Amino acid sequence: MFPGESVELRGEWTAHHSYGQQFRADSFTREAPEGAEAIFRYLASGVIRGIGPGRAREIVAKFGERALDVLESSPEKLAEVRGITRASARGFSNDFRRKAGVRRLIDALGEYGIPALVAMRAYGALGDEALDRLKENPYAMTDAAFGAAFREADRMATALGFEPDCPQRLEAALVFELRHNLNNGHVFIPADKLVAATNQLISAGTDALYDALDMLSDGGEIVREDIPGADACYLREMYEAEKYVAARLTALASMEEDDAVDAGALVSEVESKLGVTYAEGQLAAVRAAALGRVVALTGGPGTGKTTSVRGILEMFGRLNLRTLLCAPTGRAAKRMGELSGRGDAMTVHRALGARMGPRGELVFERNAQNPLRADAVIVDEASMLDLPLTRSLLEAMKPGCRLILVGDMNQLPAVGPGNILPDIIKSGAVPVVRLTEIFRQAEESAIVRAAHSVNSGRIPDLSEKGSDMFFLKRMTPAAIAGTAAELMASRLPNGMGIPPSQIQALSPSKRGEAGTAALNALLQQTLNPPGERREKPFGGFVFREGDRVMQIRNDYDIMWTDASGASGNGVYNGDLGVVSGIDLSSEIMTVDFDDKTVEYMFDQLADLEPAYAVTVHKSQGSEYRAVILALPPGSPRLATRAVLYTAITRARELLIIVGDPEIFRAMTENDKRRRRYSGLRARLMRGGKP
């Protein structure tokens, strides 16, 4: 609500045993400002871009109670006010009409329990026709552009009299299941599993759902194709993305080697310049990058991936190739830049010029029509690439541009749909260099030895007291959490000189007494307790100045500034920062990230989470000086070798594991990975053909 608006609540009075009489609202109606004073407060609040208190006073003085009607219906009259041109009057009117339209739609859809964010997206896409269009088919709100849950659209449809077996409901439920399962990593779903899952959602009967699936397939919204062992059902955009990625990678792999390149001489020059002698696998990596157009480079910790990338960079420089360094996350890109000696590494999204389109959709400035100005692209942490991002990257690469994918295929897969790096490596369709030799210096690290032991299913000797890895046996979640807090607050800072800011607590799960939610509350209380620092409660956590926080979703439009005063757009999922200021009067929280400062309005705080402790999944692509890994009892789905291996490989100098040795053993032995339905490997094996 804005100043000057009023609200009518409908509900009933109740009696609470502790707080006395209370009003329980079942619904509400927001009312536009009435009267000159209310209209002035509304306009003076800044709700209309370009109208402040002074201009609001003049508008109300001129038009009184008719001011809002003039704004909406007769904007040309605003030019009668001193200092307002016809052009600015039209701008004020357009802004007011849009906000009024959004408000009316929020109120109208709110009657059916539809969230305001869905209404805002719907108005952005459909304008003033939104309500009529959505009443014609409420299930349209389940489209990704609107983001409504199926149950929300279903509730509105039921209220409007739609039948349970109507075609709109059956087809929307099938598409919703496919879209929902993108979040589980699946590019397609086999038809029998799709129908079964959808029937669980709406109980419509399998025959009716198969008929609806046929209709969607005939209409092209769902694409069905035989993938070995499955009648695969794709959303069209996923089908087109997978087909494109397979064809483009196949084309790159099939390009003839560059005969003009003397790979042997180049490698010798690179070794001499960098002062190294490459091992067999590293030689193979640099040579393959010199001659070919696409290479997948994979290996575990200590096997020389970074040294190989430095060599490839030097070699590309000698070939006069402009090289782009990038990674899926900000922290991975920063680490890549530091290790390679180049400070210009960036996220893939930033390299592609990611921004939000007019309807809230993700668009990239770099594409086939406006390609990257690069002759070679090196992507680190490529195991985190999902299918849509891979498609966008390949699309933005000019013909003949080289692609080097660097990653560890044994880590956790990407959050988004697809299984890109493992599919590429297992297909045999792209040149692959596997680094397996652990170098002597790395072999001295207990962290590296433990990572390779776990990856091969062997349990490390947890009683070994190495210089960089320790196991502290704690048998209860409370003891695990307490020990983690003690380690971060005092034992590591005092005993080993590692400040808390360089220590990261990890846990497989958010839930439980030693999950990240509980750990964050405990660690905040220990490291940044209440006091004179300002704070803001939000979403079950009290943000406080000095807190460590993490951005949990990509925001391509949010503004940032850096120390030099330069500004730009974009903060990305996984970026870590510290709350440097909370202004309660202006409702702004300021966060300092590694190289930029961002101001968040309080209604944007859902994009942030406390980050004294993060899940292992959220830590992907990051590396920390010291890691405290909490291993409490938890979901069997998270007690896997891949989770443990990923956690171990996040530590650079020190790893302390706190928990039950039996849980460590069980995770090491559990090599079960949730199957991801993807057709990329099959397409690559048949030469990129559909």
Side-chain angles (χ1 to χ4, degrees):
M1 284 185 61
F2 291 97
E5 292 183 321
S6 60
V7 64
E8 178 183 299
L9 301 173
R10 293 176 290 278
E12 62 180 0
W13 289 99
T14 61
H16 191 277
H17 67 280
S18 299
Y19 302 110
Q21 195 173 35
Q22 294 183 327
F23 186 78
R24 187 185 69 199
D26 297 322
S27 62
F28 74 94
T29 302
R30 183 166 35 186
E31 304 290 345
E34 292 185 2
E37 177 58 28
I39 292 172
F40 166 73
R41 286 190 287 115
Y42 177 75
L43 294 176
S45 70
V47 63
I48 307 299
R49 189 179 296 113
I51 298 180
R55 189 161 279 170
R57 188 173 289 108
E58 293 181 359
I59 292 173
V60 173
K62 176 73 175 176
F63 300 108
E65 295 184 359
R66 297 187 300 112
L68 297 185
D69 292 333
V70 170
L71 256 176
E72 185 166 13
S73 305
S74 307
E76 68 281 356
K77 293 184 179 180
L78 288 175
E80 299 173 14
V81 176
R82 180 173 55 87
I84 297 181
T85 66
R86 284 185 171 271
S88 58
R90 285 194 298 271
F92 297 155
S93 179
N94 290 339
D95 194 25
F96 175 73
R97 282 203 298 267
R98 185 182 65 82
K99 286 185 168 68
V102 170
R103 186 183 66 239
R104 285 191 289 267
L105 186 61
I106 288 173
D107 291 344
L109 295 182
E111 295 285 338
Y112 303 102
I114 305 299
L117 181 59
V118 174
M120 292 167 66
R121 289 171 175 165
Y123 190 87
L126 304 173
D128 291 332
E129 298 179 2
L131 185 58
D132 290 338
R133 295 271 296 276
L134 294 179
K135 282 187 173 181
E136 290 173 6
N137 181 13
Y139 295 105
M141 289 185 294
T142 61
D143 186 89
F146 305 144
F150 184 84
R151 67 179 182 278
E152 293 166 347
D154 206 28
R155 183 168 56 231
M156 179 173 170
T158 300
L160 293 172
F162 282 74
E163 295 295 330
D165 59 351
C166 67
Q168 298 98 317
R169 184 173 191 255
L170 304 186
E171 293 177 12
L174 287 162
V175 172
F176 179 81
E177 278 295 335
L178 277 177
R179 199 169 297 285
H180 172 76
N181 274 285
L182 297 178
N183 299 321
N184 294 324
H186 301 306
V187 179
F188 70 81
I189 299 292
D192 57 342
K193 295 185 181 296
L194 174 61
V195 167
T198 308
N199 198 35
Q200 274 194 320
L201 178 69
I202 62 172
S203 302
T206 57
D207 289 344
L209 286 169
Y210 270 112
D211 290 342
L213 182 57
D214 288 340
M215 292 295 293
L216 287 165
S217 181
D218 290 343
E221 190 169 357
I222 287 178
V223 178
R224 292 175 75 172
E225 183 176 300
D226 286 334
I227 297 292
D231 174 7
C233 297
Y234 290 85
L235 291 169
R236 172 157 290 281
E237 63 265 30
M238 289 296 109
Y239 173 76
E240 297 293 347
E242 189 176 88
K243 208 169 58 161
Y244 181 88
V245 169
R248 187 70 193 274
L249 288 173
T250 300
L252 285 172
S254 63
M255 293 181 72
E256 293 184 2
E257 291 188 350
D258 193 339
D259 293 334
V261 173
D262 185 340
L266 262 179
V267 171
S268 296
E269 291 174 13
V270 169
E271 286 183 315
S272 176
K273 173 68 184 297
L274 298 180
V276 299
T277 301
Y278 287 125
E280 183 179 347
Q282 294 170 319
L283 278 172
V286 179
R287 180 181 175 84
L291 297 174
R293 291 297 187 273
V294 58
V295 177
L297 174 61
T298 186
T303 58
K305 292 195 299 295
T306 299
T307 303
S308 300
V309 169
R310 286 198 193 105
I312 292 170
L313 265 175
E314 176 66 23
M315 183 266 299
F316 282 167
R318 291 175 178 272
L319 292 173
N320 296 315
L321 301 179
R322 291 172 296 183
T323 304
L324 168 66
L325 296 179
C326 57
T329 68
R331 291 187 68 82
K334 184 181 183 208
R335 182 165 61 93
M336 184 188 197
E338 292 169 348
L339 294 176
S340 68
R342 288 242 319 238
D344 57 351
M346 62 184 72
T347 64
V348 179
H349 284 89
R350 185 177 172 192
L352 295 177
R355 61 179 175 81
M356 300 307 292
R359 296 190 298 173
E361 75 279 17
L362 174 61
V363 296
F364 293 109
E365 293 177 359
R366 296 292 182 183
N367 49 43
Q369 290 71 45
N370 181 30
L372 293 163
R373 297 190 184 97
D375 305 305
V377 175
I378 301 177
V379 184
D380 197 15
E381 297 288 351
S383 63
M384 300 179 68
L385 286 174
D386 64 18
L387 179 63
L389 187 58
T390 304
R391 189 242 170 95
S392 297
L393 176 62
L394 288 169
E395 205 167 36
M397 287 168 45
K398 62 186 181 182
C401 180
R402 301 172 193 240
L403 176 65
I404 313 297
L405 298 172
V406 184
D408 185 344
M409 62 178 287
N410 295 305
Q411 290 186 17
L412 290 166
V415 173
N419 211 27
I420 299 296
L421 188 62
D423 278 353
I424 290 173
I425 291 172
K426 293 175 182 177
S427 72
V430 167
V432 175
V433 177
R434 290 180 172 85
L435 301 178
T436 56
E437 179 184 348
I438 305 174
F439 291 93
R440 184 177 59 80
Q441 185 176 357
E443 198 170 25
E444 294 173 357
S445 165
I447 297 173
V448 171
R449 293 198 305 273
H452 285 277
S453 292
V454 167
N455 192 39
S456 63
R458 293 180 289 107
I459 301 169
D461 182 1
L462 299 180
S463 64
E464 179 185 349
K465 300 300 181 184
S467 60
D468 62 354
M469 175 178 161
F470 304 90
F471 190 97
L472 301 181
K473 182 178 179 179
R474 300 292 186 272
M475 302 302 289
T476 67
I480 293 170
T483 299
E486 183 185 355
L487 285 164
M488 188 178 285
S490 58
R491 289 174 63 177
L492 295 186
N494 298 336
M496 303 189 74
I498 305 176
S501 61
Q502 297 180 16
I503 305 168
Q504 183 62 58
L506 302 179
S507 181
S509 175
K510 290 183 178 181
R511 300 182 179 86
E513 203 170 347
T516 58
L519 280 173
N520 273 310
L522 177 60
L523 290 169
Q524 183 197 44
Q525 180 65 28
T526 304
L527 297 169
N528 191 25
E532 296 182 358
R533 293 181 173 183
R534 285 166 294 191
E535 53 187 37
K536 166 62 182 174
F538 188 91
F541 186 79
V542 179
F543 288 105
R544 190 172 296 136
E545 290 174 337
D547 278 342
R548 188 189 308 178
V549 295
M550 175 184 280
Q551 178 82 10
I552 60 170
R553 57 180 59 86
N554 293 333
D555 187 329
Y556 309 100
D557 289 339
I558 195 167
M559 291 285 298
W560 54 260
T561 57
D562 63 18
S564 70
S567 62
N569 296 80
V571 183
Y572 302 107
N573 186 7
D575 285 355
L576 281 175
V578 175
V579 178
S580 58
I582 296 177
D583 189 330
L584 297 173
S585 60
S586 61
E587 298 190 340
I588 290 175
M589 188 166 90
T590 304
V591 178
D592 292 339
F593 293 95
D594 288 333
D595 54 357
K596 54 184 176 274
T597 297
V598 179
E599 290 186 344
Y600 291 82
M601 300 298 293
F602 282 175
D603 61 4
Q604 295 176 295
L605 296 186
D607 288 350
L608 293 171
E609 281 186 355
Y612 297 101
V614 300
T615 63
V616 176
H617 281 80
K618 283 289 185 185
S619 74
Q620 276 186 274
S622 298
E623 188 178 74
Y624 313 97
R625 182 180 176 188
V627 166
I628 300 167
L629 174 60
L631 287 184
S635 167
R637 185 173 60 86
L638 297 172
T640 66
R641 183 184 301 172
V643 170
L644 182 58
Y645 176 74
T646 301
I648 292 172
T649 54
R650 298 310 90 203
R652 185 172 68 248
E653 295 181 17
L654 178 67
L655 171 66
I656 300 181
I657 304 172
V658 186
D660 183 346
E662 179 58 27
I663 293 174
F664 188 100
R665 182 198 63 76
M667 293 179 75
T668 302
E669 293 176 351
N670 180 12
D671 195 27
K672 290 181 180 177
R673 290 178 179 254
R674 296 182 66 188
R675 179 181 178 184
R676 289 189 166 207
Y677 291 111
S678 162
L680 180 61
R681 179 182 177 185
R683 292 183 197 281
L684 287 170
M685 291 176 70
R686 59 185 187 229
K689 297 176 182 177

